[in-house]
Amino acid sequence: MTRLFNNPADFADEMVDGFVAANLRWVRKVHGGVARSTASPDGTVALVIGGGSGHYPAFGGLVGHGLAAGAAMGNLFASPSAQQVTAVARASQHGGGVLLSYGNYAGDVLNFDAAERALTELGIDVRTVRVTDDVASAPAGEAHKRRGIAGDLCVFKVAGAAAEQGKSLDEVTEVATRANDRTRSFGVAFSGCSLPGADEPLFTVPEGRMAIGMGIHGERGIDEADVPTADGLAELLTDRLLQERPEGAGDRVVPILNGLGSVKYEELFVVYAAVQRHLTDAGLTVVEPEVGELVTSFDMAGVSLTLFWPDAELEPLWAAPADTPAYRKGGAVPQERLPEAVLTADESAPVGPASDASRALGTEIAQAFTTIRELLDAHADELGRIDAVAGDGDHGIGMQRGSTAADAAARDAAERGAGAGSVLTIAGDAWSDKAGGTSGAIWGAALEALGRVIGDRERPTAATVQRAVHAATDAVLAFGAAVGDKTMVDALVPFDDVLTTRITAGDDLTTAWSEAADAAQQAADGTADLLPRMGRARTHAEHAVGTPDPGAVSFALIVDAVAP
């Protein structure tokens, strides 16, 4: 288990601070992650990678010459926010455009896509390549749905090398896309990982057994088997991946044997010896293999094998020099250092004019965010436990971080004279930025919609509040979930429906809100019987039956807590 931490909610931030302090030769801290501390020629492409923390050396450890220009680093097992990705990209770009590359997870897709739109609006040319190497996460016919695991190193490495050579954004993107198409990964786990502060791992495996096809966020495997010998494991991994040899692949292959956190290097070398024998026996030529911890999952005891099939252009890019905190290859190239000043966080959002009534309501709303923060602090462990049943166990910490940031931002905005709508909007931006992940993006969008309709001109009527809630519902539904998918939507839509019905019937806001909150709670309880159809839990849907959805539960708790 993870033993060394202070406040679990602060773990990711404190980790980044320590990582930067130990690696100033390569990286500097920027809002949302790290960027190179060395200069790059003007007009070169900036490869910006990222994802949740907990996978070192991915992602910050891969920032440096020959690899990434910057890395957005989210909370533990949660995607970075759109604001974080945007800030890292702006700090990393050199005028040649930005390539965003990351593992294909729902939260990452939401936030990186939003960042791409924001960067485009700023006049920065942007492309995206999502890594989809995990063969266990979807069938070959739906390869676009597959998640990214240790194969992301192959994509990042060749893209970074191409950028370093001065290739154009279109050329770097094409190289990265081709590398992803030629990369396959498969893994096993002997025990689950544990997040800081957690008493139990995210999943367990019986003694002498192993989970097959697990994910790097603590997702349990799709099958289970007895632990084989090292040779037997090598045969299992290589045979599965050779079944998916990419079309047009030659006889040259790069194997990457990756440790997931607590398998010793000596064990990896024993397994790798057998992996290379199996590949050679299959008539293949092994090219520049890698063995070690490259994409981890905290303290998970597990191993994954990646096979990357380079062509005549990709192979020299894979072999090109790289110099980063955690990954070095070839001769290091001297780099000119940038000024060592650490970039500061953005200034407080400006506050516009507001009526006295709206300012008074803004103060009440700020107090409500304090209530929400205290509520989620009290329920963080339970929400994490529910999420760990079929997901990655980070929902409690994510909601705790988001509500803490929203509380501070709301109080600051109210003290500066913001109206009700501005308090909600500023709080939503802070929630989204600090929480990251899918829930951060969703709550940020919902609060922005609430604030937009409420406005700063006057104290809203019950009908205005109802319209604001409906706008927030529409904003959340725009992310793609529907009633029955086992998400927050299953509690949000009944809340919206009942609130609309009761206010239309003439009920006062307090009565209508309380009845709507009861409906949300009943709907959240009812999600226990549903199979998840979205997000990481979708892969292990059967494990979620009998447990309510954590997003629906946290929504019901919040609307009940603010009813007074």
Side-chain angles (χ1 to χ4, degrees), residues 396-493:
I397 287 179
M399 294 293 285
Q400 190 176 30
R401 283 169 60 93
S403 61
T404 298
D407 177 32
R411 283 187 284 110
D412 174 70
E415 289 170 1
R416 290 187 288 125
S422 291
V423 170
L424 285 163
T425 300
I426 291 170
D429 186 69
W431 189 312
S432 173
D433 185 26
K434 200 65 175 177
T438 305
S439 68
I442 287 172
W443 276 95
L447 291 169
E448 185 280 330
L450 279 173
R452 175 166 29 87
V453 176
I454 294 296
D456 295 331
R457 293 185 178 180
E458 57 190 17
R459 190 176 184 94
T461 64
T464 303
V465 173
Q466 179 270 314
R467 289 197 304 273
V469 168
H470 192 67
T473 302
D474 285 343
V476 173
L477 292 173
F479 286 98
V483 172
D485 285 345
K486 194 162 186 166
T487 69
M488 168 185 166
V489 165
D490 288 299
L492 171 61
V493 169

Side-chain angles (χ1 to χ4, degrees), residues 108-415:
D108 294 278
V109 172
L110 287 176
N111 286 294
F112 275 84
D113 280 358
E116 179 173 355
R117 292 190 295 271
L119 292 166
T120 300
E121 291 175 0
L122 292 170
I124 299 173
D125 202 4
V126 186
R127 303 284 188 278
T128 291
V129 174
R130 298 175 189 136
V131 182
T132 56
D133 59 304
D134 181 17
V135 301
S137 55
E142 297 181 334
H144 64 285
K145 295 182 179 180
R146 288 178 169 175
R147 58 196 175 192
I149 51 175
D152 59 9
L153 176 64
C154 306
V155 178
F156 300 162
K157 176 63 180 67
V158 300
E164 214 69 63
Q165 293 177 3
K167 294 184 183 295
S168 70
L169 180 57
D170 285 340
E171 291 172 323
V172 174
T173 302
E174 192 280 329
V175 159
T177 301
R178 193 162 10 117
N180 182 58
D181 292 343
R182 288 171 164 262
T183 303
R184 307 285 189 273
S185 299
F186 187 58
V188 301
F190 313 109
S191 69
C193 59
S194 56
L195 296 177
D199 296 327
E200 301 289 339
L202 293 179
F203 69 89
T204 58
V205 183
E207 188 70 27
R209 302 279 285 176
M210 67 180 181
I212 298 174
M214 82 301 131
I216 59 169
H217 299 95
E219 303 99 329
R220 64 187 70 240
I222 59 174
D223 200 359
E224 198 175 278
D226 290 338
V227 176
T229 62
D231 286 356
L233 178 59
E235 182 178 9
L236 169 71
L237 296 174
T238 53
D239 285 354
R240 177 65 181 86
L241 293 179
L242 289 176
Q243 293 172 15
E244 287 212 18
R245 186 169 176 170
E247 184 177 353
D251 61 359
R252 299 175 69 78
V253 65
V254 175
I256 301 174
L257 189 64
N258 174 60
L260 283 157
S262 62
V263 173
K264 299 299 294 180
Y265 271 65
E266 289 85 350
E267 295 175 276
L268 294 175
F269 290 133
V270 173
V271 175
Y272 180 73
V275 166
Q276 182 147 323
R277 284 199 304 271
H278 283 292
L279 294 174
T280 302
D281 291 346
L284 302 171
T285 299
V286 171
V287 177
E288 296 212 23
E290 293 284 351
V291 179
E293 291 185 344
L294 299 162
V295 178
T296 61
S297 184
F298 263 104
D299 58 337
M300 183 185 288
V303 175
S304 68
L305 177 65
T306 297
L307 294 184
F308 168 45
W309 307 80
D311 58 22
E313 181 183 15
L314 296 176
E315 186 171 329
L317 293 173
W318 173 253
D323 186 21
T324 75
Y327 186 86
R328 296 161 207 170
K329 179 174 281 195
V333 179
Q335 296 289 294
E336 177 188 352
R337 289 186 59 82
L338 293 170
E340 304 227 355
V342 176
L343 298 183
T344 58
D346 294 336
E347 295 182 357
S348 297
V351 168
S355 69
D356 290 343
S358 185
R359 288 194 186 98
L361 180 57
T363 299
E364 293 178 40
I365 290 173
Q367 293 169 350
F369 275 107
T370 300
T371 298
I372 292 170
R373 173 184 58 77
E374 293 170 347
L375 170 83
L376 292 173
D377 281 346
H379 287 84
D381 290 344
E382 177 62 12
L383 291 171
R385 184 197 67 77
I386 295 172
D387 190 35
V389 172
D392 52 18
D394 70 338
H395 186 73
I397 287 179
M399 294 293 285
Q400 190 176 30
R401 283 169 60 93
S403 61
T404 298
D407 177 32
R411 283 187 284 110
D412 174 70
E415 289 170 1

